[in-house]
Structures are given as structure tokens and as C-alpha cells.
Amino acid sequence: GKEPLLSDSETTIHVGGIDNVDASVFDGMDYVALGHIHRPQKIGKEQYRYCGTPLKYSVSEEHQAKSITCVELKEKGTEPVITQIGLEPLRELRSLRGTLSEVLSLATEENKDDFLSITLTDEIDPYQPKERLMEVYSHILEVRVDNARTRRILSEAVEELKLEDPVEVFAQFFENMQARPMSEAEKRVMTEIFAKAAEGEANG
């Protein structure tokens, strides 16, 4: 499958973002250094590039190869010489998944000091899992649990969210932000907006 353009640590931008600008606007330029996208990539032509970040900033970037883009510009009208110089971090970013005993058994000299996202799959929650993991791994970013219990809780939360009246959810958010309840006129406006949004989804 195609790798997503954005990672977890990036924000999807629609107004003025790359989805709204055709690469033809860069015609005639020798090289275009584009902005803040974590994965190095070209847009249209080799010389229209995002260089990417030098380090992995979220778990979704685990399998990205980080690099520095070296660009050599020669005579006007000739193609630039673009070289990717690979970077090797002091600590890798890795995901480990399995029961507590399985994850502990995966420890090696190569991975024990890496930045780790750990997902435990034990059906019965083990005793002090994070403390036991920290005895082996030095740089744990997060410990998640994925078992029948947590999947059920997540499923119930999603169902509960679906059943919530979006106007009431927004009204609660509004009151938390503004320190006052919404007026009836404001509620009417939001009711119309959500009705139009639901209509658009139904027709989409």
C-alpha cells in the first residue's frame, strides 16, 4: 500500500496546503525546498522536494529511512544533482508487541536502549508490567494494552460516542471553553450546521 503523506506528529492542512497547489506553479525553478512534512519525498518532479526530518518524531515513522538531502546546483537549465545522505540515530525508534514474557524475551543489546512503543497482549493483566519492562529497556515511550478487555472498552466508547447528540456534545464543549452555556440562538445555528453536515454525509 501507499505510505500516508502525513505522520501522527503532523497536522493535516487543507487551506493552502499541497493538496491545493499544483506542482506546475514551480515550473522554471531549478530546485524547490518544500516545508514541514516528515517523510522525504518529491512532488511532481525530483527537484521539488520535502527533505524530511533528521529524526523519527512519532511511532508511525518507525520504518522511515531518515536522511539529509544534499543538492548541487550547476549551470542554469541543467538538472540539480540530488544526493540522499542516510542518517543513523544514536537510538532507533521501535515497536514491540506480545505478552509481557514475550516482549521481555525480545530484549537484545541492539534494542534495549532504543525508544520503544510496547503493546502488551496478555489477556490477564500482569503484575507491575511497566516496572518489569523498565528493568530491561531504558527508553520506553509508552506501554499499551491490546486484549479482549481493552478492545471491548474501546468499542463501547465508540458506540457511546455515536449515540451522543452532536449538538449537546458541542454545547458541553462550548460551556467548558466560554464559561457560559450556549444561547438558544447559538444552539439553533449549531443544530442547522450539524443537520447540513449529516445531510452531506448521507449524500456523499
Side-chain angles (χ1 to χ4, degrees), residues 112-130:
K112 69 182 181 64
D113 294 318
D114 286 340
F115 294 114
L116 297 177
S117 168
I118 297 173
T119 301
L120 298 178
T121 58
D122 302 79
E123 287 300 332
I124 298 173
D125 292 344
Y127 177 68
Q128 293 190 323
K130 188 162 187 183

Side-chain angles (χ1 to χ4, degrees), residues 10 12 17 27 37 72 75 82 88 93 95 109 119-121 124 138 144-145 162 185 196 201:
E10 296 166 325
T12 303
D27 285 351
I37 297 270
E72 186 180 354
E75 294 78 18
I82 300 169
E88 207 167 304
L93 189 151
S95 296
E109 282 302 313
T119 301
L120 298 178
T121 58
I124 298 173
S138 61
R144 301 179 179 187
V145 177
K162 285 179 184 173
K196 285 180 182 174
E201 283 183 12

Side-chain angles (χ1 to χ4, degrees), residues 5 33 36 46 48 53 55 57 61 71 74 77 79 81-82 96 99 123 128 139 142 148 158 168 173 175 181 194:
L5 198 61
H36 188 75
E46 286 292 334
Y48 306 160
T53 54
L55 293 172
Y57 291 117
E61 298 176 44
V71 181
K74 299 194 173 183
E79 295 286 316
V81 178
I82 300 169
L96 298 179
T99 64
E123 287 300 332
Q128 293 190 323
H139 291 80
E142 60 182 357
V158 169
E168 290 305 316
F173 170 76
E175 189 166 342
F194 282 113

Side-chain angles (χ1 to χ4, degrees), residues 2-183:
K2 188 179 178 185
E3 191 174 351
L5 198 61
L6 299 177
S7 73
D8 289 344
S9 55
E10 296 166 325
T11 304
T12 303
I13 300 171
H14 295 291
V15 179
I18 58 172
D19 292 340
N20 300 74
V21 179
D22 192 277
S24 63
V25 301
F26 303 132
D27 285 351
M29 297 187 183
D30 296 324
Y31 184 82
V32 179
L34 297 167
H36 188 75
I37 297 270
H38 288 200
R39 182 169 61 89
Q41 59 199 272
K42 63 180 181 179
I43 302 296
K45 295 184 178 179
E46 286 292 334
Q47 61 265 40
Y48 306 160
R49 301 191 66 85
Y50 289 93
C51 65
T53 54
L55 293 172
K56 299 171 184 178
Y57 291 117
S58 79
V59 177
S60 65
E61 298 176 44
E62 176 184 3
H63 300 296
Q64 288 183 14
K66 296 299 183 177
S67 61
I68 292 174
T69 303
C70 179
V71 181
E72 186 180 354
L73 298 174
K74 299 194 173 183
E75 294 78 18
K76 184 69 179 170
T78 62
E79 295 286 316
V81 178
I82 300 169
T83 308
Q84 300 294 119
I85 302 171
L87 295 174
E88 207 167 304
L90 177 64
R91 292 185 178 85
E92 262 299 347
L93 189 151
R94 302 180 196 272
S95 296
L96 298 179
R97 180 185 178 87
T99 64
L100 177 61
S101 61
E102 287 170 343
V103 171
L104 289 172
S105 72
L106 292 172
T108 64
E109 282 302 313
E110 288 72 37
N111 72 13
K112 69 182 181 64
D113 294 318
D114 286 340
F115 294 114
L116 297 177
S117 168
I118 297 173
T119 301
L120 298 178
T121 58
D122 302 79
E123 287 300 332
I124 298 173
D125 292 344
Y127 177 68
Q128 293 190 323
K130 188 162 187 183
E131 289 76 3
R132 291 169 66 186
L133 289 165
M134 288 171 66
E135 290 174 6
V136 177
Y137 299 110
S138 61
H139 291 80
I140 298 173
L141 298 176
E142 60 182 357
V143 177
R144 301 179 179 187
V145 177
D146 180 17
N147 57 25
R149 177 181 60 82
T150 58
R151 286 192 292 273
R152 187 184 70 251
I153 291 169
L154 181 61
S155 175
E156 288 170 357
V158 169
E159 282 304 310
E160 188 177 324
L161 191 60
K162 285 179 184 173
L163 294 172
E164 293 263 11
D165 177 359
V167 177
E168 290 305 316
V169 172
F170 183 84
Q172 184 62 56
F173 170 76
F174 181 93
E175 189 166 342
N176 289 341
M177 293 296 102
Q178 300 297 323
R180 70 168 179 85
M182 290 175 70
S183 69

